[in-house]
Amino acid sequence: MMRLPLFEFRSPRTLEEAVRILDGQGPSTMPLAGGTDLLPNMKRRQQVPRTLMSLRHVESLRHVQLSDSGSRLGACLTLTDIAEDPRFRNGMTALAQASALVATPHIRNMATLGGNLCLDTRCNYYDQNYEWRKAINFCLKKDGNTCWVATGSSKCVAVSSTDTAPALIALGARVRLFSRSGEREVALADLYNNDGINYIKRRPDEILAEVLLDPLHGWKSTYWKLRRRGSFDFPVLSVAAAARFSTQGVVEDARIVVGSAASRPLVAGEASKSLLGRSLNPESIAEAAALAARIAKPLDNTDFDMTWRKRVTAEFVTYALRELRGNDMHVERESVTRHPLPQS
Ligand SMILES: Cc1cc2nc3c(=O)[nH]c(=O)nc-3n(C[C@H](O)[C@H](O)[C@H](O)COP(=O)(O)OP(=O)(O)OC[C@H]3O[C@@H](n4cnc5c(N)ncnc54)[C@H](O)[C@@H]3O)c2cc1C
């Protein structure tokens, strides 16, 4: 049995109290939300904070405000809250689908949106117990000097494995971060670094308090996830796509995001731009799919063959765009997901 290391536990009731606790502590004090990632990581000694600060009793982090002028989602909403709430449809379908595809029902009941956005990066050489990692002299991400995926690399290549981040980036989300010295708003697309160790620009004294979305009138969105088991597994490649259409079906705005193909979600800018002013027909879809696949450079550090995962990128962009133009994709969806999903 793997045991948790000793730690101090704090449980603030307000955001103000929470940021006071984090102030000046550095990474040795970590926020604990659902604990579904952080606690297993602590058991494997991948993360060893001296103090855990629970966000469970901070009520102000659980709000949902959906209005014509935009939406605000508290960081401590659970993934079940989002997946099962019919208000997260139409424009926000990609978020509901991504939330529904994380892990298992039990985990989604605990797991939070904020925890999913701040999720640690993953790698076959890192997500192992302490003795396993010790036997290979550890790895660059934790306690070692060598990246076993790319031994010449000075940079850790652990993979961004969050499901909701690509979906929310496709929806143009921003996040609000609070610390004792104030608050700041960051486009979610800019929150991440392509670096497996320093993968997030959140400072250790900051709490990700809420996700902000502009109005999504006229937008449609969808999320496609590759994983070995349909019942539960981390993504090893994902595609989120969102588009706003004119009444004639011409794409007025679009965002395609590729997840789990690098240490951060990748915005497929050229692919998205190639759709503007066009309808979604076989030619425009094929062009966007090829452009998106070009930026996906998966490495051999998760499940499945890396060259195949790259090919799946183009396939998923094709599925996603066909779905956005109104095709019935349930056969493809079932073959990939094997899981009932929220539909718009
Ligand atoms: C078996 C299994 C399968 C899984 N499958 C998936 C999957 O398919 N897809 C997926 O995306 N994830 C998966 N996960 C990982 C995890 O369950 C989810 O990512 C979950 O959403 C994490 O949220 P949490 O609230 O439990 O985060 P926690 O574990 O509490 O925290 C995760 C990280 O975020 C930080 N944090 C949490 N909240 C905040 C906040 N508000 N502000 C600042 N920092 C914060 C913590 O300090 C920690 O670094 C899986 C986990 C398990 C055990």
Side-chain angles (χ1 to χ4, degrees), residues 113 140 160 180 188 243 267 335:
L113 182 59
L140 194 54
S160 165
R180 201 163 181 204
L188 184 60
V267 176
S335 73

Side-chain angles (χ1 to χ4, degrees), residues 174-196:
R174 289 162 284 127
V175 289
R176 188 168 283 162
L177 298 155
F178 273 85
S179 69
R180 201 163 181 204
S181 55
E183 61 176 87
R184 61 183 179 123
E185 219 173 274
V186 181
L188 184 60
D190 297 332
L191 184 68
Y192 302 104
N193 294 315
N194 200 6
D195 178 327

Side-chain angles (χ1 to χ4, degrees), residues 30-40 47 55 75 79 101-103 107 110-112 114-116 118-119 161-163 199 202 206-208 225 232-235:
M30 291 179 76
L32 177 75
T36 61
D37 195 62
L38 183 50
L39 295 177
Q47 291 174 308
L55 297 174
L79 299 180
L101 287 168
V102 171
I107 291 175
M110 296 292 294
T112 65
N116 195 250
C118 297
L119 185 68
S161 304
T162 149
D163 278 302
Y199 63 92
R202 179 187 81 81
E206 286 180 318
I207 291 176
L208 192 160
K225 165 173 177 171
F232 80 109
D233 258 331
F234 282 88

Side-chain angles (χ1 to χ4, degrees), residues 7-11 32 50-54 57:
F7 58 89
E8 187 188 343
F9 185 72
R10 307 289 302 270
S11 185
L32 177 75
R50 269 202 313 272
T51 305
L52 287 184
M53 186 195 67
S54 169
H57 298 293

Side-chain angles (χ1 to χ4, degrees), residues 29-256:
T29 300
M30 291 179 76
L32 177 75
T36 61
D37 195 62
L38 183 50
L39 295 177
N41 283 2
M42 287 172 68
K43 288 184 177 179
R44 293 187 292 253
R45 305 305 190 259
Q46 291 160 270
Q47 291 174 308
V48 279
R50 269 202 313 272
T51 305
L52 287 184
M53 186 195 67
S54 169
L55 297 174
R56 172 170 288 213
H57 298 293
V58 183
E59 278 304 318
S60 65
L61 295 176
R62 288 177 196 279
H63 56 279
V64 182
Q65 279 179 28
L66 307 174
S67 79
D68 286 346
S69 55
S71 305
R72 297 172 56 178
L73 314 181
C76 284
L77 289 172
T78 68
L79 299 180
T80 300
D81 290 336
I82 294 169
E84 293 189 350
D85 186 335
R87 292 176 297 169
F88 294 103
R89 300 291 186 273
N90 300 314
M92 279 191 247
T93 303
L95 173 62
Q97 291 174 331
S99 303
L101 287 168
V102 171
T104 63
H106 300 88
I107 291 175
R108 291 194 294 275
N109 289 342
M110 296 292 294
T112 65
L113 182 59
N116 195 250
L117 295 178
C118 297
L119 185 68
D120 195 11
T121 52
R122 295 180 60 80
C123 177
N124 287 343
Y125 294 94
Y126 171 67
D127 289 288
Q128 304 288 349
N129 65 36
Y130 181 83
E131 286 70 25
W132 192 103
R133 292 187 295 113
K134 188 176 174 199
I136 59 161
N137 206 14
F138 302 102
C139 76
L140 194 54
K141 184 159 161 74
K142 177 79 177 113
D143 299 330
N145 301 315
T146 306
C147 170
W148 295 110
V149 184
T151 45
S153 175
S154 56
K155 202 182 82 176
C156 167
V157 295
V159 183
S160 165
S161 304
T162 149
D163 278 302
T164 63
L168 280 168
I169 292 172
L171 298 179
R174 289 162 284 127
V175 289
R176 188 168 283 162
L177 298 155
F178 273 85
S179 69
R180 201 163 181 204
S181 55
E183 61 176 87
R184 61 183 179 123
E185 219 173 274
V186 181
L188 184 60
D190 297 332
L191 184 68
Y192 302 104
N193 294 315
N194 200 6
D195 178 327
I197 298 173
N198 298 310
Y199 63 92
I200 195 163
K201 293 176 189 159
R202 179 187 81 81
R203 297 193 313 262
D205 67 335
E206 286 180 318
I207 291 176
L208 192 160
E210 60 179 356
V211 173
L212 309 169
L213 289 162
D214 287 335
L216 289 165
H217 309 298
W219 283 85
K220 288 170 82 179
S221 67
T222 185
Y223 182 72
W224 287 76
K225 165 173 177 171
L226 180 70
R227 56 182 170 177
R228 185 172 290 269
R229 293 169 293 186
S231 52
F232 80 109
D233 258 331
F234 282 88
V236 291
L237 193 279
S238 68
V239 167
R244 195 183 70 224
F245 296 92
S246 73
T247 42
Q248 287 77 34
V250 170
V251 176
E252 294 176 334
D253 203 351
R255 289 186 212 103
I256 299 172

